[in-house]
Amino acid sequence: MKLPFGKVPIEILTEVIFKNLGFKREEVVIGPSAGFDGAVIDLGEKSLVASMDPITGAIEHIGWLAVNINANDVATFGVEPAFFLSCILLPENADRKIIESICSQMNVAAKDLKMAIIGGHCEVTPGLSNPIVIGCALGITNKGRYVTAGGAKPGDKLILTKSAGIEGTAILATERYNLLLKMGAGDKLLKSAQKFFEKISVVKDGITAFKTGGVDAMHDPTEGGVIGGIHEMADASNLGVKVFEEKIPVADETVEICKFFKIDPLQLISSGAMLIAAKPEFAEDIITKLRREKIEASVIGEFLKNPKMRIIVHKDKREKVLPRPECDHLWLALKKHN
């Protein structure tokens, strides 16, 4: 079976990857599991949260993205990211300028988040056409003081911060700028879309929501977009979900760019948004606190008891099965117009 671009299918995770996890150590409270954003290791009175992600579909902002995307995963636990490690893989034609660009971007991003870069690796790798950066972020909290993507409860309201497809919009507007201009996209729209990189951090989203109270679970929708992220959250919590298409915010820039590439904005990589499962009585308070921090947020659905019930209500009121993305639609756009 040939695998699609992006994350491997969930059956490969469960049947292969999760069955090969080395020695079982008692300090590992949360290890690899479908839908979870990272691991939790108990160390005395503290818990260490660790997460790892690569940046593969972007070039121009790759170092900045590596820090922020990994920091986001730690923030989904309600924990502030504190440390960062990177593995930088460079193509054969790489020079000093590429390394300087990536490292200076990581430096700026880490300083903004008050994270220390504590180590990593850098090499020129045969067979690569573009650089790849794999990052690892770590955060420390008091023992047990966190939430996971798998803590949602039936009846919890599903909140989305910001909008769908943020990272994908920024990447396509940057990496395919000239092509989109030729296809008829306006320069003003594309320049606005490029600024979506500034929205990609969800550290403030996660910490604000967690401190408000009533949060049962959080997850940042990356590959597979908002819809993929919702499935991952429901998988991790062993629940169903009902979402309303008309309640999912999609920025005008995202709508237009997705039209050009004929892709679904709800299945476009959405780093910059946060999915939050909140007790019903806390949902409005969480949204109010987020908006005070100038973070838009909306209730887009709720979790259901039956894990087989995954429903999307379209704008015309038709109810359909919530599709599970086969691959992120960023890859479809990049592959079509490579």
Side-chain angles (χ1 to χ4, degrees):
M1 174 181 122
K2 186 177 179 180
L3 298 175
F5 288 113
K7 291 182 179 179
V8 298
I10 190 170
E11 59 268 21
I12 300 292
L13 285 175
T14 55
E15 294 170 8
V16 181
I17 296 174
F18 295 161
K19 290 184 178 179
N20 293 278
L21 299 177
F23 185 77
K24 188 174 182 179
R25 295 190 61 96
E26 62 181 16
E27 299 96 335
V28 181
V29 180
I30 298 174
S33 186
F36 282 76
D37 295 296
V40 177
I41 303 167
D42 278 353
L43 302 172
E45 295 302 311
K46 298 290 184 178
S47 292
L48 177 70
V49 177
S51 185
M52 177 178 285
D53 260 321
I55 305 299
T56 55
I59 300 173
E60 190 169 330
H61 297 84
I62 192 168
W64 189 89
L65 283 169
V67 174
N68 279 281
I69 298 308
N70 283 280
N72 284 354
D73 280 344
V74 173
T76 65
F77 289 81
V79 176
E80 293 185 7
F83 309 104
F84 181 76
L85 299 97
S86 68
C87 179
I88 302 170
L89 305 179
L90 301 167
E92 294 180 56
N93 62 350
D95 56 18
R96 178 189 175 106
K97 186 177 179 181
I98 294 176
I99 299 173
E100 288 176 343
S101 175
I102 293 171
C103 290
S104 63
Q105 288 177 26
M106 291 195 302
N107 179 53
V108 170
K111 282 184 176 179
D112 286 345
L113 294 172
K114 297 181 180 178
M115 297 176 70
I117 297 175
I118 60 171
H121 176 77
C122 183
E123 69 170 55
V124 174
T125 304
L128 292 184
S129 57
N130 295 312
I132 293 174
V133 179
I134 302 105
C136 174
L138 305 167
I140 299 172
T141 186
N142 291 330
K143 186 175 181 178
R145 178 69 177 163
Y146 56 84
V147 294
T148 72
K153 306 292 189 296
D156 275 357
K157 298 298 182 183
L158 178 59
I159 298 169
L160 178 72
T161 68
K162 300 171 190 163
S163 61
I166 292 172
E167 183 182 358
T169 301
I171 291 173
L172 289 172
T174 302
E175 308 294 343
R176 295 294 184 267
Y177 174 79
N178 291 329
L179 174 63
L180 283 163
L181 277 180
K182 290 178 182 177
M183 294 168 72
D187 177 71
K188 184 177 179 181
L189 178 138
L190 294 176
K191 291 292 175 58
S192 177
Q194 289 174 356
K195 292 181 180 178
F196 279 29
F197 280 116
E198 299 170 7
K199 302 180 181 182
I200 282 176
S201 175
V202 294
V203 172
K204 187 181 288 187
D205 308 40
I207 302 304
T208 299
F210 184 72
K211 287 183 177 179
T212 300
V215 173
D216 285 327
M218 291 191 289
H219 183 50
D220 67 323
T222 53
E223 285 198 41
V226 168
I227 286 179
I230 292 170
H231 271 296
E232 290 173 344
M233 204 171 185
D235 290 340
S237 303
N238 194 30
L239 293 177
V241 68
K242 185 175 187 177
V243 296
F244 298 86
E245 182 185 23
E246 66 180 1
K247 293 185 178 181
I248 302 175
V250 184
D252 292 341
E253 294 89 340
T254 303
V255 171
E256 292 304 312
I257 288 173
C258 287
K259 280 182 182 177
F260 281 111
F261 288 110
K262 297 180 181 179
I263 57 175
D264 182 2
L266 303 188
Q267 298 186 57
L268 178 63
I269 188 166
S270 293
S271 302
M274 180 76 91
L275 291 165
I276 303 166
K279 292 179 173 63
E281 64 270 25
F282 284 86
E284 286 306 316
D285 193 24
I286 290 169
I287 289 172
T288 298
K289 294 287 178 60
L290 287 166
R291 287 177 177 168
R292 284 179 186 169
E293 296 293 333
K294 298 182 179 180
I295 301 167
E296 282 301 312
S298 312
V299 173
I300 64 169
E302 66 178 350
F303 286 95
L304 308 175
K305 186 175 182 180
N306 185 349
K308 294 182 180 180
M309 296 287 289
R310 307 278 177 92
I311 301 165
I312 183 167
V313 181
H314 289 286
K315 293 176 182 178
D316 60 6
K317 308 304 180 187
R318 289 179 300 122
E319 293 189 1
K320 289 194 172 183
V321 174
L322 185 70
R324 188 183 286 271
E326 292 184 8
C327 77
D328 192 278
H329 281 208
L330 173 66
W331 294 114
L332 299 182
L334 293 175
K335 186 178 179 183
K336 285 178 186 175
H337 302 279
N338 195 0

